[in-house]
Amino acid sequence: MQSFCHTAAYPKPVDIDTQHSLPDFIRNRGGVSLRPGDGIIHSWMNRMLLPDTVGTGGDSHTRFPLGISFPAGSGLVAFAAATGVMPLDMPESVLVRFKGKMEPGITLRDLVHAIPYYAIKQGLLTVEKKGKINFFSGRILEIEGLEYLTAEQAFELSDASAERSASGCTIKLSEESVAEYLRSNITLLRWMIAEGYGDVRTLERRARKMEDWLANPSLLSADADAEYAAVIEIDLAEVKEPVVCCPNDPDDARLLSEVAGDKVDEVFIGSCMTNIGHFRAAGKLLEKHGDEMTTRLWIVPPTKMDEHALMEEGYYNIFGKSGARTEMPGCSLCMGNQARVKAGSTVLSTSTRNFPNRLGDGANVYLTSAELAAVGAILGRLPTPAEYMEYANQIDSMADDIYRYLNFDQVASFQASAEKGKRIAAEQIDVVTA
């Protein structure tokens, strides 16, 4: 799969040339080509995954929520695409085991940051660059204890394994969660065929493979006596306040209470670490606030499907009234090569990483949940845990409505197009085969 998510919003002339020439190159080789404005490749690529399979990609955030993926350089990715194999030295694994139930107001992004926070406490990770310790580096991160997550939610955890410098990541999910995701994705892939995406044969073959799995579902699981290089246990009852990663290091995980009060100039809600629920949560808080904010708020959904749903549900009206800057689906500030925040500003960001100068020259960037970022945008500063919980309680009371994910098999317009796509694929595949 190929996309233009790094350059679509602010293309140079060479990018426009590539947008015209690359899709045919990809499709003629059986690949799937996305279009400018479709959104972030990871959020799309996840929709093509089969359980318990191995993949690769030329971006460090190729981190599948199903199966496992090993990001690589472009040469090795091309080799894997051409031959169907890639050389790997299988690394050791670090097990992260969550137990218990999440506390009110705590988000999955807080659990993402709890991993380095607890690793620091166990001496497996240091922030100081001199004599740096990173036990995750070069190892596989295995996560269990959150089997009830949807695949969209699981990706928030697997995606962040890139910031741990892990070779790969795998998350144990329930068959029910995986089946729900595949049913949705079968509809999406056939919708893509009807909308003129290709390669048609590739999309239909993958949809049929998903149907095969659904007819006989099974998932691999770790051996009971599996050995790990290290085990990190996180009791969810102990995570009682948000965990953030401080400027400018994704390893510098601290509790909100340690940094509360810091002034906030800009807020970015976007990147492959987000899904539609994050934007609904932010929208609900902004709607209740009512007034335009003094902070500069960036809103960038990961895919055009998220953008369309949020528009239909009225959230773009809320974002507009609050003075937010909305951009086409894509990487935006997270990539660092397009728009930039103001030099020297303090930023709350849902992006993947906060390396120095990535979002803006001399910017101080906190990595936070979308929910905490929205509160920071409203207040113009990092809230205290008590202040944050006042806002979080508003979200918790609407959680069932907010944290709904895009199940395309339950959307009438996608269902109708998927039926058309299935017929198109049958004409191109089954008739030729016969």
Side-chain angles (χ1 to χ4, degrees), residues 78 114 131 141 362:
L141 184 59

Side-chain angles (χ1 to χ4, degrees), residues 158-180:
S158 64
D159 198 20
S161 66
E163 279 56 65
R164 309 282 76 78
S165 298
S167 292
C169 178
T170 181
I171 300 181
K172 186 177 182 181
L173 295 176
S174 68
E175 283 190 8
E176 292 77 11
S177 292
V178 174
E180 177 184 0

Side-chain angles (χ1 to χ4, degrees), residues 24-76:
D24 283 344
F25 178 89
I26 296 296
R27 291 176 58 154
N28 289 340
R29 287 154 180 80
V32 177
S33 177
L34 298 178
R35 300 163 182 167
D38 279 352
I40 303 172
I41 190 166
H42 311 299
S43 302
W44 281 85
M45 185 69 181
N46 291 344
R47 295 286 183 174
M48 293 194 67
L49 302 180
L50 290 172
D52 297 335
T53 53
V54 180
T56 188
D59 184 280
S60 61
H61 291 100
T62 309
R63 306 278 173 159
F64 298 165
L66 306 183
I68 192 169
S69 53
F70 296 94
S74 57
L76 188 54

Side-chain angles (χ1 to χ4, degrees), residues 96-103 105-119 136 141 143-146 148-149 153 156-158 160 164 232 234-245 253 273 368-369:
V96 175
R97 181 186 294 122
F98 290 95
K99 63 179 184 179
K101 184 179 178 181
M102 290 173 65
E103 292 290 298
I106 300 304
T107 69
L108 281 176
R109 189 63 186 251
D110 297 318
L111 302 193
V112 167
H113 297 163
I115 294 175
Y117 182 77
Y118 274 75
F136 299 107
L141 184 59
I143 300 174
E144 64 178 40
L146 301 171
Y148 53 85
L149 295 181
Q153 292 173 317
E156 202 170 340
L157 287 153
S158 64
R164 309 282 76 78
I232 300 173
I234 300 177
D235 186 346
L236 294 174
E238 296 177 356
V239 185
K240 296 183 180 295
E241 63 177 280
V243 185
V244 304
C245 291
M273 288 289 286
T368 76
S369 68

Side-chain angles (χ1 to χ4, degrees), residues 159-343:
D159 198 20
S161 66
E163 279 56 65
R164 309 282 76 78
S165 298
S167 292
C169 178
T170 181
I171 300 181
K172 186 177 182 181
L173 295 176
S174 68
E175 283 190 8
E176 292 77 11
S177 292
V178 174
E180 177 184 0
Y181 197 53
L182 294 191
R183 285 191 294 268
S184 175
N185 295 344
I186 290 168
T187 300
L188 178 65
L189 296 187
R190 287 176 173 152
W191 171 88
M192 292 176 69
I193 294 172
E195 292 293 309
Y197 288 85
D199 177 81
V200 171
R201 293 165 299 174
T202 298
L203 291 168
E204 178 61 18
R205 280 199 304 266
R206 183 48 54 99
R208 293 182 184 185
K209 287 286 187 181
M210 292 177 181
E211 289 174 331
D212 291 344
W213 188 90
L214 288 169
N216 186 27
S218 65
L219 293 172
L220 293 173
S221 60
D223 295 333
D225 59 350
E227 296 181 358
Y228 301 93
V231 177
I232 300 173
E233 284 210 349
I234 300 177
D235 186 346
L236 294 174
E238 296 177 356
V239 185
K240 296 183 180 295
E241 63 177 280
V243 185
V244 304
C245 291
C246 296
N248 282 307
D249 189 338
D251 287 341
D252 192 3
R254 304 186 198 181
L255 300 178
L256 175 60
S257 54
E258 299 178 61
V259 296
D262 200 358
K263 183 178 181 294
V264 174
D265 302 304
E266 303 199 32
V267 172
F268 172 57
I269 300 179
S271 89
C272 54
M273 288 289 286
T274 61
N275 57 57
I276 193 168
H278 297 128
F279 296 90
R280 289 198 191 103
K284 290 294 186 185
L285 293 178
L286 294 172
E287 183 178 36
K288 192 168 184 65
H289 174 64
D291 298 329
E292 190 168 328
M293 296 166 299
T294 57
T295 54
R296 189 186 196 191
L297 173 61
W298 303 66
I299 296 287
V300 190
T303 74
K304 69 176 184 180
M305 295 85 76
D306 298 293
E307 179 187 53
H308 179 73
L310 291 167
M311 283 186 176
E312 285 197 328
E313 294 171 15
Y315 285 97
Y316 266 68
N317 182 47
I318 297 169
F319 298 147
K321 287 181 177 178
S322 69
R325 170 174 174 161
T326 57
E327 293 197 341
M328 72 160 61
C331 298
S332 188
L333 291 174
C334 185
M335 183 57 191
N337 70 334
Q338 301 181 52
R340 310 271 285 171
V341 299
K342 187 177 179 180

